[in-house]
Amino acid sequence: MHEQINEGSMVFVADGSDGIGSVREIRHGLPELLVYIENAGDFVVPMSAVKAVHSGKVVLDFDHLDLRLRNAIRHARDSEDPTYTSPSSEDE
């Protein structure tokens, strides 16, 4: 499965959910990835925690992640402004 993972692949915790980060590095000698999680930085993720890889996406198995990484994922979207509305195309 790790042969399908590329640096820059988006990382998710479920299909259809928002992305939480991206793959920074694939460590072939060690079966792990270095993953950037939004608002938290880089984390090492063992390949055993990768649930699926398809369409340029890496889906993690949340239950196989350590507590520190789970907490980072829970807060990946905290800096987003919930009141933000993108300008309509008519405004351009």
Side-chain angles (χ1 to χ4, degrees):
M1 178 175 6
H2 69 275
E3 294 85 17
Q4 301 171 13
I5 300 172
N6 297 307
E7 290 181 10
S9 293
M10 289 296 298
V11 176
F12 300 80
V13 289
D15 277 324
S17 67
D18 290 331
I20 54 153
S22 62
V23 175
R24 284 214 198 255
E25 183 181 335
I26 304 157
R27 298 179 175 172
H28 295 286
L30 304 169
E32 62 190 25
L33 304 172
L34 184 64
V35 174
Y36 171 77
I37 303 297
E38 293 180 29
N39 297 316
D42 292 333
F43 290 84
V44 174
V45 177
M47 289 302 293
S48 60
V50 176
K51 183 190 281 187
V53 179
H54 58 82
S55 307
K57 300 176 185 178
V58 176
V59 182
L60 302 179
D61 186 339
F62 192 78
D63 295 333
H64 286 87
L65 303 174
D66 67 41
L67 182 60
R68 191 172 144 257
L69 180 51
R70 288 183 197 191
N71 286 333
I73 290 170
R74 287 184 183 108
H75 297 283
R77 299 278 181 207
D78 285 358
S79 68
E80 292 181 1
D81 182 356
T83 62
Y84 175 79
T85 305
S86 63
S88 68
S89 59
E90 294 173 8
D91 293 341
E92 293 177 6

